[in-house]
């Protein structure tokens, strides 16, 4: 963060172990695989550092949570339908206009799927237990997540609203004020829980819409998955969609989001746990109108941004087309929830 005395690093080698006292890890399971966490714990033990961990997703350790995840996955698979897409421009309709889907693999039926999902569930619960055991302090960004961690036996849990990084004030102008287009933005990892389909289909119904997608691949995946590669090929057919899958510095992300008329956050949180959106904080820092679907990932922002009453395509499209231009609540929230103003969990001030 930018707070005085706190340094942000991406590699352990960047830490000055002679002056550092605490290592605060921003934890995402897709970004910090368990072997990496073990390495971090070993590093802290070697250099006498205290380890604080913010869990951006908290797994619910119960059979009910597993069964909910399994049933959700089965229902989604059985009810999934092909999606047709037309661009809102005068460009000819491309030959292939269906959003590509993951290559089918042998599933072994529902029993095989249940076994695979249970192994993954047990692995995540075990990993989370290791995080709780090896951390000096655990931080959650929602009261529900903090309560679940305490239920699992971790008493030293603190709930702190997700802070924002501060950015220097500068003149942020819209992309092209006079081009007659509605510029819509999105930022976040390219992941199954991001509802790209609904976003693209909704924007396709809006005349003169330009969609700017910043959807990088989590580095832990080690490359671009086959489905992501197919998605890129499919999206490139539409001139009205600008897709960038680079891992961009936050300053550039905020700068790009600030140039849109409105930014949209649509997600389908995986069941069986509590997640907090880190990417929505960059939306807030950009100071532009925000439209989001109703999930616990943005429940703390109900009085700050526009929350959709349902997820029908017409509802999404109307909210984008008729977005609220008043950003005063967003600007105020961004000013009051910076790293500098969070409670001093480090005890250094």
């Amino acid at each position: 963060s930018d707070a005085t005395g706190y340094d942000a690093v991406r590699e352990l080698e960047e830490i000055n172990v002679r002056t550092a006292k605490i290592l605060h890890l921003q934890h995402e399971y897709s970004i910090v695989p368990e072997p990496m966490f073990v390495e971090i714990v070993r590093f802290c033990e070697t250099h006498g550092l205290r380890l604080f961990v913010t869990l951006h997703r908290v797994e619910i350790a119960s059979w009910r949570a597993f069964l909910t995840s399994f049933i959700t996955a089965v229902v989604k698979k059985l009810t999934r339908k092909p999606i047709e897409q037309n661009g809102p421009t005068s460009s000819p309709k491309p030959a292939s206009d269906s959003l590509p889907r993951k290559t089918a693999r042998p599933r072994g039926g529902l029993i095989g799927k249940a076994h695979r999902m249970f192994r993954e569930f047990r692995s995540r619960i075990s990993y989370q237990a290791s995080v709780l055991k090896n951390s000096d302090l655990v931080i959650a960004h929602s009261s529900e997540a903090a309560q679940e961690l305490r239920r699992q036996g971790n008493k030293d849990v603190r709930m702190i609203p997700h802070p924002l990084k501060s950015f220097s004030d500068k003149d942020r102008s819209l992309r092209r004020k006079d081009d007659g287009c509605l510029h819509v933005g999105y930022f976040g990892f390219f992941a199954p829980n991001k509802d790209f389909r609904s976003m693209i289909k909704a924007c396709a119904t809006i005349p003169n819409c330009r969609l700017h997608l910043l959807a990088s691949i989590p580095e832990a995946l080690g490359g671009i998955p086959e489905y992501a590669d197919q998605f890129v090929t499919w999206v490139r057919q539409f001139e009205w969609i600008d897709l960038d899958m680079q891992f961009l510095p936050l300053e550039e992300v905020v700068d790009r989001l600030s140039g849109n008329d409105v930014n949209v956050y649509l997600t389908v949180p995986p069941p069986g746990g509590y997640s907090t959106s880190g990417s929505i904080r960059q939306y807030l820092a950009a100071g532009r109108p925000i439209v989001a679907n109703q999930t616990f990932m943005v429940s703390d922002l109900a009085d700050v941004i526009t929350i959709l009453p349902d997820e029908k395509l017409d509802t999404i499209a109307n909210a984008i087309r008729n977005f609220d231009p008043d950003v005063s609540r967003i600007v105020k929230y961004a000013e009051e929830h910076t790293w500098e103003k969070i409670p001093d969990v480090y005890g250094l001030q």
Side-chain angles (χ1 to χ4, degrees):
S1 75
D2 289 339
T4 302
Y6 305 158
D7 294 322
V9 300
R10 293 187 61 189
E11 302 290 341
L12 293 176
E13 291 74 14
E14 299 177 36
I15 298 176
N16 186 342
V17 295
R18 292 176 298 178
T19 59
K21 299 178 181 179
I22 298 167
L23 191 156
H24 187 169
L25 174 65
Q26 300 295 321
H27 186 277
E28 290 272 10
Y29 288 99
S30 62
I31 302 176
V32 186
E34 190 167 7
M36 182 183 297
F37 178 73
V38 171
E39 181 182 353
I40 292 173
V41 171
R42 187 180 300 116
F43 180 89
C44 290
E45 292 175 345
T46 300
H47 298 286
L49 302 179
R50 299 176 68 196
L51 178 59
F52 290 4
V53 178
T54 292
L55 285 172
H56 290 268
R57 176 172 172 83
V58 173
E59 300 290 340
I60 301 176
S62 71
W63 276 102
R64 181 178 180 180
F66 167 71
L67 290 175
T68 299
S69 300
F70 176 67
I71 293 173
T72 300
V74 171
V75 170
K76 182 178 180 180
K77 179 177 177 61
L78 293 177
T79 59
R80 188 167 58 185
K81 298 178 181 180
I83 295 178
E84 296 299 319
Q85 165 68 25
N86 290 322
T89 68
S90 58
S91 301
K93 183 178 178 180
S96 176
D97 59 356
S98 294
L99 186 63
R101 301 195 178 280
K102 296 179 180 179
T103 303
R105 295 180 299 177
R107 294 290 182 180
L110 290 180
I111 295 179
K113 185 176 184 65
H115 283 167
R116 285 190 295 273
M117 289 189 65
F118 181 71
R119 285 197 300 268
E120 294 171 358
F121 170 77
R122 186 173 55 182
S123 176
R124 292 194 302 271
I125 295 300
S126 174
Y127 181 11
Q128 182 168 280
S130 175
V131 172
L132 299 181
K133 177 182 178 181
N134 291 284
S135 302
D136 295 290
L137 176 67
V138 176
I139 297 169
H141 287 323
S142 73
S143 56
E144 296 90 346
Q147 183 177 354
E148 173 61 24
L149 291 173
R150 294 188 184 104
R151 189 187 69 80
Q152 295 181 28
N154 191 293
K155 304 301 180 183
D156 198 1
V157 178
R158 302 191 191 181
M159 199 292 286
I160 298 175
H162 199 311
L164 286 72
K165 183 175 181 180
S166 297
F167 293 92
S168 58
D169 294 332
K170 60 180 179 180
D171 180 23
R172 301 187 188 280
S173 58
L174 297 180
R175 290 179 183 274
R176 291 178 291 275
K177 293 182 179 180
D178 301 321
D179 67 354
C181 295
L182 176 66
H183 292 274
V184 181
Y186 165 83
F187 162 68
F189 282 129
F190 182 87
N193 65 310
K194 300 300 192 300
D195 195 359
F196 290 102
R197 288 180 174 85
S198 295
M199 191 177 339
I200 292 174
K201 290 201 71 177
C203 288
T205 67
I206 303 174
N208 298 318
C209 180
R210 297 293 181 268
L211 179 58
H212 305 274
L213 300 177
L214 303 179
S216 62
I217 302 293
E219 293 182 343
L221 295 182
I224 299 179
E226 179 182 0
Y227 177 60
D229 189 51
Q230 295 173 358
F231 177 79
V232 172
T233 301
W234 179 77
V235 167
R236 296 300 187 199
Q237 300 178 85
F238 303 104
E239 296 181 356
W240 58 277
I241 300 179
D242 170 29
L243 174 64
D244 192 334
M245 302 188 78
Q246 299 180 79
F247 193 91
L248 302 173
L250 291 184
E251 290 82 354
E252 185 170 352
V253 169
V254 171
D255 187 61
R256 292 199 190 186
L257 290 175
S258 68
N260 298 318
D261 295 293
V262 57
N263 294 307
V264 181
Y265 180 84
L266 299 181
T267 185
V268 185
Y274 300 107
S275 300
T276 306
S277 171
S279 58
I280 196 69
R281 313 301 151 171
Q282 316 316 322
Y283 285 58
L284 293 164
R288 298 301 305 150
I290 302 170
V291 172
N293 59 328
Q294 190 170 8
T295 71
F296 54 77
M297 298 186 76
V298 295
S299 59
D300 60 323
L301 300 173
D303 297 329
V304 181
I305 66 178
T306 298
I307 303 293
L308 298 168
D310 58 64
E311 299 180 19
K312 298 177 181 178
L313 292 180
D314 287 345
T315 302
I316 298 172
N318 287 334
I320 294 174
R321 189 165 36 229
N322 302 307
F323 67 88
D324 183 0
D326 183 6
V327 296
S328 58
R329 289 173 298 176
I330 292 176
V331 172
K332 181 179 179 181
Y333 185 95
E335 292 174 347
E336 294 178 350
H337 292 79
T338 63
W339 280 97
E340 295 89 342
K341 296 182 179 180
I342 64 172
D344 183 27
V345 297
Y346 301 97
L348 301 178
Q349 294 182 345

